[in-house]
Amino acid sequence: MSRTAAVPVLTIDGPSGSGKGTISRRVAEHLGWRLLDSGALYRAVGYAAGAAGLDLSDVEAVTRCAQTTKIRFQASADGSDTHILVNGHDATAELRTETAGAAASAIASIAPVRQALVELQLGFRKQPGLVADGRDMGTVIFPDAPFKVFLTASAAERAKRRYKQLKEKGLSVTLSSLQREIEARDHRDASRSVAPLKPAPEAVLVDTTGMGIDEVVAKVLAVVQP
Ligand SMILES: Nc1ncnc2c1ncn2[C@@H]1O[C@H](COP(=O)(O)OP(=O)(O)OP(=O)(O)O)[C@@H](O)[C@H]1O
Ligand SMILES: Nc1ccn([C@H]2C[C@H](O)[C@@H](COP(=O)(O)O)O2)c(=O)n1
C-alpha cells in the first residue's frame, strides 16, 4: 500500500496512552514532516455513526457511514492546534473523549470500514515526509516505511497519564476505571482479526514507562537521524 515509495515515512504505533500523538506531533514538527493521526479517522467514523443513531455492530450501515463521512483536518487560526471537522461540524473536543475512543475501537474491527479509510491515509504521504501514528501504520498501511517505532508503557503508567490529562481538563474520572477502559481497548485492538495492534517485526520498540516526553522524542528522532 505505498502511493509514493520515494517519500519517507516514520510510523509510530502503540496502545492507547503510550504517547503516540504527543511524540508524533513533536517529531513531525522537528523534522518539518506532515502528520497523520489515523486514530482521529476511526474516532470520526465512530462519532458520525453515533450521531446518525447507528448500531455500531451493524456492519453494512457503519461501512456506508465510513464511505460517506467527510473528515477534514484544519489548522487553528494561530497554527498551534488542529481541528477535526466531521461532515462540516467541528468535533475536535467530542472526538478526544474516552467514549469516542471506545466507539472508534469498536468500528475499527470491521474490515470494510478499515478499507474505506485506506486511500485517505495513503494520501498523507507527501514530501518532505510523513509521521503516521496509529495501530497498523507499520504493519498494514505503510509496510514499506523506512522508519518504524512501536511505543509502549505499562497500563498503570498510561492510565496515570490519561488521568492527569483529563483532570487538567476538569473532568471527573477515577484512575481505576481509566485503567480498566485502557486495558479493555488494548485487548480489543490487539485481538481483532483484521490489522491488529502489534509491532512490525522491524519496528524499534520504545518502552516509555518512567521516561519523560523530551527523552522519548530524542529516542524516536534517533531512529530517523541516527
Ligand atoms: N513520556 C511521557 N511521559 C509523561 N506523559 C506523557 C508521555 N507521553 C505522553 N504523555 C502524556 O500522556 C497523555 C496521553 O498521550 P497521547 O494522547 O499522546 O497518547 P496516545 O498514545 O496518542 O493515546 P491515544 O491512542 O488514546 O490517542 C498526554 O497527556 C501526554 O501529554
Ligand atoms: N491505525 C489505527 C488507529 C486507530 N484505530 C482504532 C483503535 C483505537 O482504539 C481507536 C482510537 O485510536 P486513538 O485515537 O486512540 O489512537 O481507533 C485503529 O484501529 N487503527
Side-chain angles (χ1 to χ4, degrees):
M1 285 198 192
S2 140
R3 188 67 84 85
T4 326
V7 179
V9 180
L10 164 64
T11 61
I12 303 187
D13 289 306
S16 171
S18 54
K20 300 179 302 296
T22 308
I23 304 305
S24 298
R25 223 173 5 259
R26 290 269 303 266
V27 168
E29 261 168 37
H30 182 95
L31 296 170
W33 288 8
R34 289 161 62 93
L35 180 65
L36 166 60
D37 170 5
S38 63
L41 304 179
Y42 290 93
R43 285 173 186 258
V45 173
Y47 169 81
L54 303 183
D55 171 351
L56 297 187
S57 62
D58 181 337
V59 171
E60 279 182 19
V62 178
T63 300
R64 248 190 328 274
C65 178
Q67 290 164 341
T68 54
T69 298
K70 302 267 176 292
I71 308 166
R72 215 148 55 79
F73 292 89
Q74 193 173 62
S76 60
D78 64 0
S80 66
D81 207 1
T82 301
H83 288 251
I84 304 162
L85 306 187
V86 182
N87 292 327
H89 165 70
D90 185 344
T92 315
E94 290 110 309
L95 294 190
R96 286 323 310 167
T97 63
E98 290 306 303
T99 310
S105 175
I107 58 98
S109 65
I110 302 173
V113 165
R114 303 195 72 84
Q115 193 53 41
L117 296 176
V118 168
E119 276 303 311
L120 185 54
Q121 294 174 83
L122 295 179
F124 278 76
R125 190 171 191 174
K126 295 213 170 101
Q127 293 289 5
L130 174 68
V131 178
D133 132 33
R135 303 293 185 292
D136 63 341
M137 298 294 97
T139 50
V140 176
I141 302 295
F142 302 109
D144 64 337
F147 311 110
K148 298 185 184 183
V149 167
F150 192 84
L151 283 190
T152 59
S154 68
E157 169 121 357
R158 290 184 283 123
K160 267 193 238 154
R161 291 176 186 170
R162 186 70 77 210
Y163 180 79
K164 185 163 173 276
Q165 188 181 31
L166 296 177
K167 279 287 177 190
E168 281 166 6
K169 285 189 189 161
L171 297 172
S172 160
V173 281
T174 67
L175 191 55
S176 55
S177 67
L178 275 178
Q179 184 164 337
R180 271 198 305 277
E181 281 168 16
I182 280 179
E183 284 171 340
R185 185 138 72 95
D186 288 351
H187 176 71
R188 187 163 41 205
D189 292 344
S191 61
R192 67 183 176 222
S193 57
V194 52
L197 162 69
K198 65 174 179 192
E202 66 278 34
V204 175
L205 300 187
V206 180
D207 184 344
T208 70
T209 311
M211 282 171 74
I213 291 174
D214 289 345
E215 200 183 342
V216 181
V217 168
K219 248 197 155 55
V220 172
L221 276 173
V223 172
V224 180
Q225 301 172 324

